[in-house]
Amino acid sequence: MAPVLTGVGLRWIDYTIIGIYFAFVLGIGWQLRRAMRTSTDFFLSGRSLPAWITGLAFLSANLGAQEVIGMGASGAKYGISTSHFYWIGAVPAMLFVGLFMMPFYYGSRARSVPEYLRLRFDEKTRAFNAVSFAVMTVFSSGVSMYAMGALMHLLLGWSFNVSVFVSAAIVLTYILLGGLTSAIYNEVLQFFLIVFGFAPLVIVGLNEVGGWSGLTAKLSALAVAQGHPAGAYTHAWQGMDSPAHNLIGVEWFGLVMGLGFVLSFGYWCTDFLVVQRAMAADSMDSARRTPLIAAVPKMVFPFLVILPGMIALVIGGKGIIPAKIGAGGAPLLDAAGKVVLDYDLATPSMLMHLFPNGMLGLGLAALLASFMSGMAGNITAFNTVWTYDLYQTYVRKDADDQHYLWIGRVATVVGILLAIAAAYVAASFNNIMELLQLVFAFVNAPLFATFFLGMFWRRTTGHGAFWGLLSGTIAAAVHHGLTLPAGAVPGVKGGYFGVVTTFRSEMGQTFWTAIYAWTTCFVITILVSLATRPRKDEELVGLVYALTPRPPSTARAAWEKPAFLGIVTLLLLLVLNLIFA
């Protein structure tokens, strides 16, 4: 682990602000505990929340520590190219799920994404997805837990082990008190904390480096010194003709197909963690507006979470990101003998270096809020899928509702314990966002191919969906096991079957792993479906796009209509890509 950061020390006012935040978080759960009377209350908030609440929660569920700290790390490592994770890797998919997919989820009254797969395909497809999704949420929770443990070590000097177990206890208490409703309301609180905590950080940081022009000049000099084009850190689309010409280490096709289509649509359209927020809305219109409302602030979040990492790389002349420390206490070196920077500490380093007492407490509360969101979001998704899609289906089908409510709480405890183990795997990566994207490549990439065919091709069969999912996941494992990012050794980063191809970066490797997984699933699903008997059309009403009546919107104002929101958002997205091309 890295040594404790030096800078402005925490004072009583910082501890007071952090204490108020924790008291508020636990207070919300305490107030809502009596409302958790049924399993629907605990897992789906009784489907009673307005669109603006679920919209901010939809966004904030993806603003966990892996997003806030991980995107700052990616900003330091890849520069403004990290904005691709938002401008082509999130917003288009958010619009798609709101306009096209939410009517299927909400209209079918499915309680989870795996349950929708059962309604559209069959039981074995639901089971496969439920298990793989449960594993993914555990890893995602572990990433958040690792981030929290690293943050406590960084700020308080605690050992990583103590930090992980203390953070686990905090999150366990928080989730058990108020279920999904408590998580959603605290995600809304987290959204405003991040805005008010990180906007001043960006403003002060830019002032320290001479504004955007000063930052551009310093990053250009750094890029040239490293042998890259001058605009490598500050232009999103330059150098995308070859992996060797950009920092992210991937060509435009790998980026657009791997991130912009497979990983992006695979996450936002099929990940129950975010879909669950929209399914808690009080009506179909609210459910469809939920991701569209979230897409607008999503476009500007790069300026809050990516810029701190870019500034940390050059502030003070040499930057303030510390080296990653090995087991022997010495800085880690890569294969070329260069010091490996701990990019995950880019944003915390900025907080400690720039903020005075008081503001430091607010900034740290925002980081803690991002951790709470990431952990709570994944664990509430895990306990729902475990209870409804695994336990109720395969262990005890006919128990009363109170029994399933109790099982959901037990699953919360189990999920936390498994996440602790996953936190130690995350510690081996110097950019937690890269680990998270790799997990998505294994789970969400093939799943999106299944959903895409299932929703838009009525000929897709349950056998095709199952064997496609299985083949896609195996393809991801084979590709990852035969490739390795430059400078890495065979192990958790790939190459465990042998090294056939070396990628210039972990992101490049992950994007192509996702492409192979999606393509394999897509092809196998089609071939098996053509060889097996499809279901009758009347059984697929409400589950396939061509066989589902489109419900008319009840929105009165133009700005409330989903189509209008989608068009305006796409235009704004185009403008941002042109400005930073």
PDB file of all heavy atoms in Angstrom, residues 324-337:
ATOM      1  N   LYS A 324       3.322   3.375  -6.508  1.00  0.00           N
ATOM      2  CA  LYS A 324       2.706   2.206  -5.892  1.00  0.00           C
ATOM      3  C   LYS A 324       3.790   1.437  -5.143  1.00  0.00           C
ATOM      4  O   LYS A 324       4.887   1.207  -5.674  1.00  0.00           O
ATOM      5  CB  LYS A 324       2.057   1.325  -6.956  1.00  0.00           C
ATOM      6  CG  LYS A 324       1.082   0.292  -6.380  1.00  0.00           C
ATOM      7  CD  LYS A 324       0.306  -0.400  -7.489  1.00  0.00           C
ATOM      8  CE  LYS A 324      -0.726  -1.359  -6.932  1.00  0.00           C
ATOM      9  NZ  LYS A 324      -1.808  -0.670  -6.216  1.00  0.00           N
ATOM     10  N   ILE A 325       3.486   1.070  -3.916  1.00  0.00           N
ATOM     11  CA  ILE A 325       4.473   0.437  -3.045  1.00  0.00           C
ATOM     12  C   ILE A 325       4.294  -1.074  -3.047  1.00  0.00           C
ATOM     13  O   ILE A 325       3.177  -1.578  -2.928  1.00  0.00           O
ATOM     14  CB  ILE A 325       4.358   0.982  -1.607  1.00  0.00           C
ATOM     15  CG1 ILE A 325       4.501   2.509  -1.605  1.00  0.00           C
ATOM     16  CG2 ILE A 325       5.411   0.349  -0.715  1.00  0.00           C
ATOM     17  CD1 ILE A 325       5.802   3.023  -2.170  1.00  0.00           C
ATOM     18  N   GLY A 326       5.417  -1.801  -3.197  1.00  0.00           N
ATOM     19  CA  GLY A 326       5.378  -3.254  -3.186  1.00  0.00           C
ATOM     20  C   GLY A 326       5.378  -3.816  -1.781  1.00  0.00           C
ATOM     21  O   GLY A 326       5.400  -3.088  -0.781  1.00  0.00           O
ATOM     22  N   ALA A 327       5.368  -5.149  -1.692  1.00  0.00           N
ATOM     23  CA  ALA A 327       5.301  -5.823  -0.391  1.00  0.00           C
ATOM     24  C   ALA A 327       6.509  -5.511   0.485  1.00  0.00           C
ATOM     25  O   ALA A 327       6.411  -5.479   1.708  1.00  0.00           O
ATOM     26  CB  ALA A 327       5.187  -7.335  -0.613  1.00  0.00           C
ATOM     27  N   GLY A 328       7.649  -5.261  -0.134  1.00  0.00           N
ATOM     28  CA  GLY A 328       8.848  -4.966   0.644  1.00  0.00           C
ATOM     29  C   GLY A 328       8.986  -3.516   1.059  1.00  0.00           C
ATOM     30  O   GLY A 328       9.979  -3.149   1.694  1.00  0.00           O
ATOM     31  N   GLY A 329       8.019  -2.690   0.700  1.00  0.00           N
ATOM     32  CA  GLY A 329       8.049  -1.283   1.068  1.00  0.00           C
ATOM     33  C   GLY A 329       8.731  -0.384   0.059  1.00  0.00           C
ATOM     34  O   GLY A 329       8.794   0.829   0.237  1.00  0.00           O
ATOM     35  N   ALA A 330       9.263  -0.970  -1.026  1.00  0.00           N
ATOM     36  CA  ALA A 330       9.923  -0.176  -2.060  1.00  0.00           C
ATOM     37  C   ALA A 330       8.954   0.098  -3.207  1.00  0.00           C
ATOM     38  O   ALA A 330       8.014  -0.663  -3.430  1.00  0.00           O
ATOM     39  CB  ALA A 330      11.148  -0.926  -2.577  1.00  0.00           C
ATOM     40  N   PRO A 331       9.164   1.184  -3.950  1.00  0.00           N
ATOM     41  CA  PRO A 331       8.290   1.475  -5.097  1.00  0.00           C
ATOM     42  C   PRO A 331       8.342   0.357  -6.137  1.00  0.00           C
ATOM     43  O   PRO A 331       9.405  -0.209  -6.397  1.00  0.00           O
ATOM     44  CB  PRO A 331       8.869   2.779  -5.650  1.00  0.00           C
ATOM     45  CG  PRO A 331       9.588   3.408  -4.506  1.00  0.00           C
ATOM     46  CD  PRO A 331      10.144   2.264  -3.714  1.00  0.00           C
ATOM     47  N   LEU A 332       7.188   0.047  -6.713  1.00  0.00           N
ATOM     48  CA  LEU A 332       7.119  -0.968  -7.755  1.00  0.00           C
ATOM     49  C   LEU A 332       7.699  -0.421  -9.059  1.00  0.00           C
ATOM     50  O   LEU A 332       7.532   0.756  -9.376  1.00  0.00           O
ATOM     51  CB  LEU A 332       5.671  -1.410  -7.979  1.00  0.00           C
ATOM     52  CG  LEU A 332       5.037  -2.284  -6.894  1.00  0.00           C
ATOM     53  CD1 LEU A 332       3.590  -2.582  -7.263  1.00  0.00           C
ATOM     54  CD2 LEU A 332       5.807  -3.588  -6.730  1.00  0.00           C
ATOM     55  N   LEU A 333       8.349  -1.303  -9.817  1.00  0.00           N
ATOM     56  CA  LEU A 333       8.898  -0.942 -11.121  1.00  0.00           C
ATOM     57  C   LEU A 333       8.251  -1.813 -12.191  1.00  0.00           C
ATOM     58  O   LEU A 333       7.950  -2.987 -11.953  1.00  0.00           O
ATOM     59  CB  LEU A 333      10.419  -1.136 -11.132  1.00  0.00           C
ATOM     60  CG  LEU A 333      11.226  -0.382 -10.078  1.00  0.00           C
ATOM     61  CD1 LEU A 333      12.706  -0.741 -10.195  1.00  0.00           C
ATOM     62  CD2 LEU A 333      11.038   1.124 -10.203  1.00  0.00           C
ATOM     63  N   ASP A 334       8.034  -1.226 -13.379  1.00  0.00           N
ATOM     64  CA  ASP A 334       7.489  -2.016 -14.473  1.00  0.00           C
ATOM     65  C   ASP A 334       8.603  -2.753 -15.197  1.00  0.00           C
ATOM     66  O   ASP A 334       9.773  -2.715 -14.787  1.00  0.00           O
ATOM     67  CB  ASP A 334       6.669  -1.139 -15.432  1.00  0.00           C
ATOM     68  CG  ASP A 334       7.516  -0.064 -16.114  1.00  0.00           C
ATOM     69  OD1 ASP A 334       8.759  -0.151 -16.077  1.00  0.00           O
ATOM     70  OD2 ASP A 334       6.924   0.881 -16.672  1.00  0.00           O
ATOM     71  N   ALA A 335       8.253  -3.421 -16.307  1.00  0.00           N
ATOM     72  CA  ALA A 335       9.241  -4.222 -17.023  1.00  0.00           C
ATOM     73  C   ALA A 335      10.371  -3.378 -17.593  1.00  0.00           C
ATOM     74  O   ALA A 335      11.480  -3.859 -17.797  1.00  0.00           O
ATOM     75  CB  ALA A 335       8.550  -5.005 -18.151  1.00  0.00           C
ATOM     76  N   ALA A 336      10.095  -2.084 -17.838  1.00  0.00           N
ATOM     77  CA  ALA A 336      11.117  -1.189 -18.381  1.00  0.00           C
ATOM     78  C   ALA A 336      11.947  -0.520 -17.290  1.00  0.00           C
ATOM     79  O   ALA A 336      12.819   0.299 -17.588  1.00  0.00           O
ATOM     80  CB  ALA A 336      10.461  -0.127 -19.260  1.00  0.00           C
ATOM     81  N   GLY A 337      11.662  -0.832 -16.031  1.00  0.00           N
ATOM     82  CA  GLY A 337      12.410  -0.263 -14.929  1.00  0.00           C
ATOM     83  C   GLY A 337      11.900   1.082 -14.449  1.00  0.00           C
ATOM     84  O   GLY A 337      12.529   1.728 -13.611  1.00  0.00           O
TER      85      GLY A 337
END
